Amino acid sequence: MGKPHNCYNNTTSRECVKVVILIIPLLILFITSFIIFQSSNGQMVNSTTTTSIGNSKEISSRDVLDFRYSNLVNFTSKIKQIDGHLNASLLNKYDGNESLALAHAEHPIGELYPFVGPQIAITNQSLNQSLYSILMDIPEYSKNSTNEEYLSVIQSTQNLLKDIINEVIPKNLQNDKLFNSFVVVNLLDLAGHEYQAGVTNDTITAIFEYQDSKAFIQQAEKLMSTFYSDSEASIDSSGLWPLVNSLNAAIEKVSTPEEIYLSIDSIFSKISLLVNTDKLTLLSKLGVSAD
């Protein structure tokens, strides 16, 4: 067997030099291409991360296909759900139901903050830290405070939620009928699901979920009020408010979930007319299927 062919063998040094000369340009080309790829890839990742919220102010009020638009709709809905739980907790506190007051107080930090926290942090880390701290403390306040003290805590938290909306949601979307209609659809659809989980055979079998449905409908009502000017709301030529009142009456009567869904669906139909968007688009935008 002959000696190994390597560059330490003087007889092959010329060949090795030729090989090295050929390899070096290829190596340089590979390294350069890798660096360029990593650099451009990093820019793409950073762009995707920041545009979800950081560049949201560039979104048109009609740019509903932009994925950031959907993020903002769902973000707003989550903030409204936190607000709804806070109201429900306070009402139970005043009614002397400490266990339900605590249950609603615990829900925001355990179930909702994980969805909104990262998005708030991108825009304003200080607001994010403030929300986290107060939501962590609210369950303890619900147990160890007077009604008046708890009211003050809830109001402070709700003011913080308003600051967060103003910071995260572009101004042109906050009072936009189409944007708010998507949030309303989200909240009412969720209210229907919560109601179905809370009522069986015309009887409230899960009071927490039943109260959730009422709380989320209340939040939806507040947003629907932005569809009108004050004078328009008092006249309500569209006929939306009678439908909302009918839904609330059905909830109070503990109607069947099917009746509640029909009532909610009639509101969806009316909203689609108000915002000049077909109902299928309005519902499918958030993954809600129309019957």
Side-chain angles (χ1 to χ4, degrees):
M1 182 179 293
K3 293 182 180 180
H5 186 78
N6 59 62
C7 287
Y8 294 104
N9 189 327
N10 289 333
T11 61
T12 61
S13 60
R14 291 179 181 177
E15 288 83 353
C16 290
V17 169
K18 293 179 180 178
V19 170
V20 170
I21 291 174
L22 290 172
I23 288 176
I24 287 177
L26 293 174
L27 185 60
I28 292 173
L29 179 62
F30 172 79
I31 292 174
T32 303
S33 300
F34 180 77
I35 291 173
I36 292 173
F37 172 79
Q38 287 290 81
S39 176
S40 63
N41 189 52
Q43 290 175 359
M44 288 171 63
V45 171
N46 289 338
S47 175
T48 301
T49 301
T50 56
T51 53
S52 62
I53 291 295
N55 291 343
S56 62
K57 290 178 173 55
E58 301 172 4
I59 300 176
S60 164
S61 60
R62 288 275 166 177
D63 198 5
V64 298
L65 296 181
D66 193 317
F67 78 97
R68 296 170 299 172
Y69 191 101
S70 295
N71 285 346
L72 293 171
V73 168
N74 288 302
F75 177 88
T76 304
S77 177
K78 292 291 191 297
I79 293 295
K80 299 301 180 182
Q81 290 168 45
I82 291 175
D83 201 348
H85 279 293
L86 296 179
N87 284 333
S89 180
L90 182 62
L91 288 174
N92 280 293
K93 176 78 171 176
Y94 272 85
D95 287 342
N97 194 324
E98 298 291 338
S99 61
L100 276 175
L102 176 61
H104 284 288
E106 290 175 334
H107 204 87
I109 189 62
E111 302 293 334
L112 294 167
Y113 173 79
F115 290 97
V116 300
Q119 293 182 311
I120 301 169
I122 292 174
T123 304
N124 191 316
Q125 179 59 19
S126 177
L127 282 177
N128 178 48
Q129 290 174 342
S130 295
L131 181 64
Y132 176 80
S133 296
I134 197 165
L135 291 183
M136 282 290 292
D137 291 341
I138 278 179
E140 192 64 29
Y141 279 115
S142 75
K143 296 185 294 184
N144 300 309
S145 66
T146 65
N147 290 351
E148 289 71 22
E149 289 170 340
Y150 196 47
L151 171 62
S152 178
V153 171
I154 295 297
Q155 289 176 334
S156 295
T157 309
Q158 290 172 328
N159 288 334
L160 179 59
L161 294 178
K162 291 177 183 177
D163 291 340
I164 288 170
I165 288 292
N166 286 330
E167 187 76 15
V168 174
I169 307 301
K171 298 297 184 184
N172 67 312
L173 294 183
Q174 289 183 30
N175 292 313
D176 182 71
K177 288 183 180 181
L178 182 61
F179 180 82
N180 284 330
S181 71
F182 286 128
V183 181
V184 167
V185 166
N186 191 307
L187 290 169
L188 290 182
D189 182 67
L190 179 59
H193 286 291
E194 294 289 353
Y195 186 88
Q196 185 176 34
V199 173
T200 305
N201 296 327
D202 301 329
T203 302
I204 299 173
T205 53
I207 186 63
F208 181 82
E209 285 74 13
Y210 176 79
Q211 290 184 349
D212 276 352
S213 67
K214 296 177 69 173
F216 299 154
I217 289 170
Q218 184 183 53
Q219 294 298 313
E221 283 186 64
K222 292 179 181 178
L223 281 177
M224 282 186 279
S225 67
T226 65
F227 294 173
Y228 307 92
S229 66
D230 291 339
S231 59
E232 290 172 332
S234 61
I235 299 173
D236 187 26
S237 58
S238 70
L240 177 61
W241 291 119
L243 295 176
V244 174
N245 293 336
S246 178
L247 172 61
N248 285 324
I251 295 281
E252 292 297 332
K253 290 192 302 183
V254 193
S255 302
T256 66
E258 291 76 16
E259 290 174 311
I260 298 302
Y261 275 118
L262 286 174
S263 185
I264 290 174
D265 187 66
S266 67
I267 293 175
F268 290 163
S269 297
K270 185 63 67 175
I271 290 175
S272 70
L273 295 175
L274 283 173
V275 297
N276 195 29
T277 299
D278 66 277
K279 182 179 173 183
L280 184 61
T281 299
L282 185 65
L283 302 186
S284 63
K285 176 67 176 62
L286 295 177
V288 181
S289 60
D291 294 331

